[in-house]
Amino acid sequence: MNSRQFLIRDLLVLFGLTGWALALPSFASEFAVSMALTCLMYIALSSSWALFCGTTRYLSLATSAFFGIGAYTSAILLEQLSWMQAIALGSLIAAAVAVVMGAAVLHLRGTYFAVLTFGMTELIRHAISYFEKSVTGTVGRVLMVVPERDTIYFTVLALAVITVALSITIRRTRFGLAMLGIGADEQRAQTLGVNTRWIKIAGFALTAAVAGAVGSAMSVRWTYIDPHTVFNPFIGFQTVLIALIGGAATLWGPLIAAIVFSVLAETLRLQLPQIYMMSLGLLLILSVLYLPGGLASLRTETFRGWRDGAKAWWQETRDDLSGETKRRKQLEKSLRERRDVF
């Protein structure tokens, strides 16, 4: 298929999934809607993270910082502003913080960038905690204005759809190609005239804007928030895990992994939290070892390769246990010795 056909296919898939998600609240139970809401949240977070980090290969651990900024913005201003205004302002403030943060640390790569983004996340969390305790004299915020369940659900659904649509669009633009060039070889991209500094800052800010908007929308789900809840590092770590296991360089990988993780979270985390964390670790290990391209790279050839590899491993193990491998090596050794004599 050519580029236009791929675009039509992606848009049709997005349209179909959106239609199914729109109909869900009308027939599903409260539990199913809650699980779908969590799924949509991580679809938006992981897709936006993959759009920047998956293409540029900059490992950001700052998602929880932008999520928390959006949540606190909504908690503080929701009584004075409308629902959409609070979400928009939370997104803008998160993007502004990302511009400042990106200008400071985006010249670094690898472990240094990951550690610094995580450190800045903790700095923001502790700064807000100090402000709450020392200035306002509280340890959290009670949300007095809470929209209805369907309003929250459809807002997060709209954010998820917009994020995936942006990913579909941006990957086909010069901006998306520039981020791919940075991920492939940043120095070469610079020699070709790409302003890598501003491209990285803009991509980082775009990721933060989505995380801030999602945080603003999801804050009302708790009705009471504190820094420990909304700046929870687990939100950022799980976003990264979802993107990596799904396939950070792909379009649909984060969405597939977000569905898998949401089902695991709602079914295991509350009853068997240890099993849930073990499942996350196991999925990550298996993906790194046997599926480096993520769940989105699964093809018929992948399963065929696993089957052939398992057969070869079983044949080798059976030969070792039966002594056939030892006899074959002795025979090869004797043949070499006889060949050397003659």
Side-chain angles (χ1 to χ4, degrees):
M1 292 192 295
N2 57 34
S3 178
R4 181 180 177 82
Q5 290 172 327
F6 276 115
L7 175 60
I8 294 173
R9 182 204 64 181
D10 291 339
L11 291 176
L12 287 176
V13 171
L14 178 60
F15 180 77
L17 293 174
T18 303
W20 179 84
L22 283 170
L24 184 67
S26 63
F27 64 86
S29 64
E30 287 288 337
F31 175 78
V33 174
S34 175
M35 184 169 63
L37 187 60
T38 302
C39 176
L40 292 171
M41 180 186 85
Y42 279 111
I43 286 173
L45 292 177
S46 60
S47 295
S48 64
W49 187 92
L51 178 59
F52 172 69
C53 299
T55 53
T56 62
R57 300 184 182 180
Y58 275 77
L59 183 62
S60 169
L61 298 178
T63 301
S64 56
F66 306 134
F67 183 92
I69 289 171
Y72 254 87
T73 301
S74 180
I76 295 171
L77 299 176
L78 195 55
E79 294 184 17
Q80 290 80 33
L81 301 176
S82 67
W83 172 241
M84 297 308 300
Q85 287 175 335
I87 292 175
L89 190 58
S91 177
L92 288 174
I93 294 175
V97 172
V99 169
V100 176
M101 185 187 297
V105 302
L106 274 171
H107 62 283
L108 302 172
R109 292 204 68 145
T111 307
Y112 300 103
F113 177 75
V115 170
L116 274 176
T117 53
F118 179 73
M120 288 189 170
T121 300
E122 290 298 293
L123 176 63
I124 293 172
R125 180 168 72 90
H126 286 293
I128 292 180
S129 298
Y130 175 80
F131 177 83
E132 289 281 82
K133 293 177 182 178
S134 302
V135 179
T136 64
T138 63
V139 292
R141 299 273 175 169
V142 177
L143 279 73
M144 304 302 294
V145 179
V146 180
E148 296 181 356
R149 184 204 69 174
D150 287 353
T151 302
I152 302 170
Y153 177 84
F154 289 126
T155 301
V156 179
L157 172 59
L159 292 174
V161 172
I162 290 171
T163 303
V164 177
L166 278 175
S167 185
I168 293 173
T169 304
I170 290 176
R171 289 171 187 270
R172 291 169 168 80
T173 63
R174 294 183 65 181
F175 178 66
L177 292 176
M179 288 197 293
L180 281 173
I182 291 172
D185 190 335
E186 187 167 348
Q187 291 184 344
R188 186 176 181 182
Q190 288 177 335
T191 60
L192 293 175
V194 176
N195 191 334
T196 57
R197 178 177 176 81
W198 289 110
I199 291 293
K200 290 186 294 185
I201 291 175
F204 193 51
L206 179 61
T207 299
V210 173
V214 173
S216 295
M218 291 296 293
S219 64
V220 295
R221 190 185 187 190
W222 290 291
T223 66
Y224 173 82
I225 65 171
D226 58 9
H228 178 73
T229 302
V230 295
F231 288 95
N232 189 351
F234 184 76
I235 295 174
F237 289 141
Q238 183 155 300
T239 298
V240 175
L241 286 175
I242 288 173
L244 293 178
I245 292 174
T250 65
L251 174 63
W252 298 109
L255 185 146
I256 296 170
I259 296 173
V260 174
F261 273 70
S262 298
V263 173
L264 285 175
E266 296 297 335
T267 55
L268 293 179
R269 186 170 60 183
L270 297 179
Q271 298 179 352
L272 301 169
Q274 291 80 13
I275 300 296
Y276 174 65
M277 297 305 297
M278 290 170 60
S279 300
L280 296 187
L282 181 62
L283 280 173
L284 181 61
I285 292 171
L286 291 176
S287 296
V288 170
L289 291 178
Y290 303 109
L291 204 63
L295 295 176
S297 65
L298 281 173
R299 300 290 186 276
T300 305
E301 295 76 11
T302 307
F303 293 104
R304 190 177 297 118
W306 289 350
R307 183 197 62 191
D308 295 341
K311 285 183 177 179
W313 172 84
W314 171 245
Q315 182 66 38
E316 183 179 351
T317 303
R318 189 173 59 180
D319 290 345
D320 289 340
L321 294 175
S322 64
E324 181 65 26
T325 302
K326 184 177 180 180
R327 288 193 294 270
R328 185 169 60 249
K329 289 182 178 179
Q330 289 176 345
L331 178 60
E332 292 174 353
K333 181 179 179 181
S334 62
L335 290 174
R336 282 197 303 271
E337 290 175 349
R338 296 170 66 179
R339 199 165 47 244
D340 291 341
V341 170
F342 295 104

